[in-house]
Amino acid sequence: MTSQKLMPVAVALFALGVVAIVAMFIAGKEGLPAWVFAAGWLLAPAGLALGVVSAVRNSRRRA
């Protein structure tokens, strides 16, 4: 997969993670299913890491 195709995926993963984190803060500790907590803790960092990898790959290819 090219770095140009990775960036939108990274942004989507990060956005879903941030939405899950905001949902955790709004709802409090109780009342949310476990997958929301897992999404918040896994999707945001995974999207951030994928975005960094995509940016590095894109910059190396241009140099």
Side-chain angles (χ1 to χ4, degrees), residues 3 5 13-14 17 24 31-32 34-35 37 58-59:
S3 61
K5 292 181 182 176
L13 284 176
F14 186 76
M24 283 189 268
L32 288 175
W35 64 268
F37 291 104
N58 195 20
S59 68

Side-chain angles (χ1 to χ4, degrees), residues 24-58:
M24 283 189 268
F25 280 112
I26 290 173
K29 288 189 175 185
E30 289 126 17
L32 288 175
W35 64 268
V36 174
F37 291 104
W41 288 106
L42 296 175
L43 291 180
L48 180 64
L50 191 60
V52 169
V53 167
S54 173
V56 168
R57 284 180 62 187
N58 195 20

